[in-house]
């Protein structure tokens, strides 16, 4: 009798484990100057809905981020302009290798949905070029997706990018040889705050924008934006994909989002983007339930 009972319990555990293995895991990739903490509201929402999700810290971010001494208070503006940062050595290959490792680990549990926001889209491209067989769906949350343009730098020179608020967001003028794009998110200049709010939060309340700026990191490797990040038709192009099109995004304007969607669809006409338009600024929908609804729909396509 005890053997039968034990076998029944084991079978129950196996069935439960099998169900969990069949459910997708979301792997969330942050954008420039951000970290996994920026995904916290989305992680919480997905968890409350019963989904598995993990947010990565890309190399040089999160607990591995570097905060220049000159960035601390009291700040030293001149030193901030020239102080070296170890993130200058980080490449897109480093980002991709890190996320590929995460994807391999979570793939043991079932399907993987890889989600990138903003600059995180180039990492999504690079990972999908390497391990398309491990990814069930790609999601670009108003994220860069180069296909016919080589890089983010090239995309930002197109007419569709001309209205981007990023051009009005004054970065620290570091010398090119430093290899770092640096933003002083702790600036006390009201004009900087206004530009940051426009670029990232749109019409969000000032208090919410200040909270956002306080979790951002000053340094990003300049190599990421200039790297060849094209999605390859025979690799990346095999994976089903969704573009969350943020209609109020002033950093990656809708016209630029539409250009990337068109170019991607032209590259793989047999596998076009599934496009969802959301009334949201660059950082995404203010109502986290919208995130949950959209990602839950993607999860349903992976079962």
């Amino acid at each position: 009798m005890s053997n039968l009972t034990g076998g029944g319990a084991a079978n129950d555990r196996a069935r439960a484990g099998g169900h969990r293995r069949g459910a997708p895991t979301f792997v969330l990739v942050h954008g420039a100057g951000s970290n996994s903490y920026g995904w916290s509201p989305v992680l919480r929402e997905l968890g409350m809905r019963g989904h598995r999700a993990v947010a990565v810290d890309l190399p040089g971010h999160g607990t591995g981020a570097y905060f220049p001494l000159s960035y601390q208070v009291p700040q030293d503006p001149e030193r901030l302009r020239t102080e070296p940062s170890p993130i200058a050595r980080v490449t897109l290959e480093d980002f991709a290798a890190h996320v590929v490792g995460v994807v391999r680990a979570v793939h043991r549990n079932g399907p993987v949905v890889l989600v990138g926001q903003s600059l995180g889209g180039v990492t999504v491209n690079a990972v999908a070029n390497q391990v398309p067989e491990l990814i069930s769906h790609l999601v670009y949350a108003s994220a860069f997706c180069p296909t016919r343009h080589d890089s983010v730098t090239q995309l930002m020179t197109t007419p569709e990018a001309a209205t981007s608020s990023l051009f009005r967001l004054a970065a620290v003028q570091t010398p090119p040889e430093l290899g770092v794009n640096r933003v002083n998110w702790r600036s006390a200049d009201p004009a900087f705050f206004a530009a940051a709010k426009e670029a990232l939060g749109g019409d969000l309340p000032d208090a919410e924008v200040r909270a956002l700026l306080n979790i951002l990191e000053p340094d990003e490797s300049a190599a990421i934006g200039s790297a060849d990040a094209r999605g390859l038709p025979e690799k990346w192009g095999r994976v089903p994909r969704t573009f969350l099109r943020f209609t109020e995004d002033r950093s990656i304007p809708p016209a630029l989002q539409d250009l990337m969607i068109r170019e991607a669809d032209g590259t793989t006409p047999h596998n076009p983007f599934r496009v969802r338009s959301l009334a949201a600024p660059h950082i995404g929908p203010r109502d986290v339930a919208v995130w949950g609804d959209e990602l839950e729909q993607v999860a349903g396509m992976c079962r």
Side-chain angles (χ1 to χ4, degrees):
M1 179 66 71
S2 61
N3 286 340
L4 290 173
T5 303
N11 289 338
D12 287 345
R13 288 193 296 271
R15 283 193 294 271
H19 174 72
R20 287 193 297 272
R21 282 194 295 272
T25 301
F26 295 95
V27 176
L28 311 176
V29 181
H30 62 77
S34 191
N35 47 60
S36 60
Y37 186 75
W39 285 110
S40 293
V42 179
L43 286 173
R44 184 167 56 250
E45 179 71 14
L46 291 173
M48 289 192 298
R49 293 176 182 226
H51 297 288
R52 282 190 301 249
V54 57
V56 301
D57 280 317
L58 294 172
H61 294 274
T63 56
Y66 178 75
F67 291 85
L69 289 176
S70 52
Y71 184 65
Q72 311 306 322
V73 177
Q75 291 190 330
D76 183 340
E78 182 54 32
R79 187 179 177 189
L80 187 61
R81 194 183 70 81
T82 58
E83 185 173 343
S85 173
I87 204 171
R89 298 190 295 270
V90 177
T91 65
L92 180 57
E93 289 75 17
D94 297 323
F95 279 8
H98 180 72
V99 178
V100 165
V102 175
V103 168
R104 289 190 187 281
V106 302
H107 183 261
R108 294 194 291 264
N109 299 318
V112 177
V113 176
L114 183 59
V115 184
Q117 186 174 17
S118 191
L119 190 63
V122 300
T123 299
V124 168
N125 274 19
V127 173
N129 282 343
Q130 292 187 34
V131 289
E133 71 282 0
L134 301 183
I135 305 168
S136 291
H137 207 100
L138 302 172
V139 178
Y140 294 78
S142 196
F144 286 103
C145 181
T147 51
R148 296 189 174 176
H149 288 82
D150 290 355
S151 64
V152 170
T153 300
Q154 284 196 7
L155 283 166
M156 291 301 290
T157 65
T158 62
E160 289 81 359
T163 62
S164 173
S165 296
L166 293 176
F167 296 126
R168 295 185 288 280
L169 184 63
V172 178
Q173 295 302 304
T174 56
E177 59 270 20
L178 208 62
V180 172
N181 293 328
R182 179 169 288 162
V183 179
N184 184 6
W185 301 113
R186 294 176 179 168
S187 172
D189 182 357
F192 172 83
F193 178 80
K197 177 180 177 178
E198 179 185 9
L200 303 178
D203 296 327
L204 291 181
D206 287 1
E208 291 186 28
V209 176
R210 289 194 183 94
L212 168 66
L213 299 187
N214 273 285
I215 67 168
L216 296 180
E217 301 164 4
D219 291 353
E220 186 60 78
S221 171
I224 308 303
S226 60
D228 188 335
R230 287 173 292 177
L232 303 177
E234 68 278 12
K235 300 286 189 178
W236 159 89
R238 291 160 42 189
V239 186
R241 58 184 187 257
T242 289
F243 199 103
L244 300 183
R245 181 179 176 271
F246 295 169
T247 61
E248 298 172 7
D249 192 337
R250 299 170 188 171
S251 288
I252 306 179
L256 181 56
Q257 296 175 57
D258 292 343
L259 173 67
M260 292 187 288
I261 293 167
R262 286 197 307 272
E263 292 187 342
D265 290 354
T267 300
T268 57
H270 59 284
N271 181 30
F273 263 116
R274 169 181 173 269
V275 180
R276 299 283 296 169
S277 292
L278 307 175
H282 188 63
I283 62 170
R286 188 181 186 192
D287 183 356
V288 73
V290 176
W291 278 109
D293 290 345
E294 293 299 329
L295 294 178
E296 203 163 51
Q297 287 184 42
V298 172
M301 291 185 278
C302 297
R303 296 182 187 277

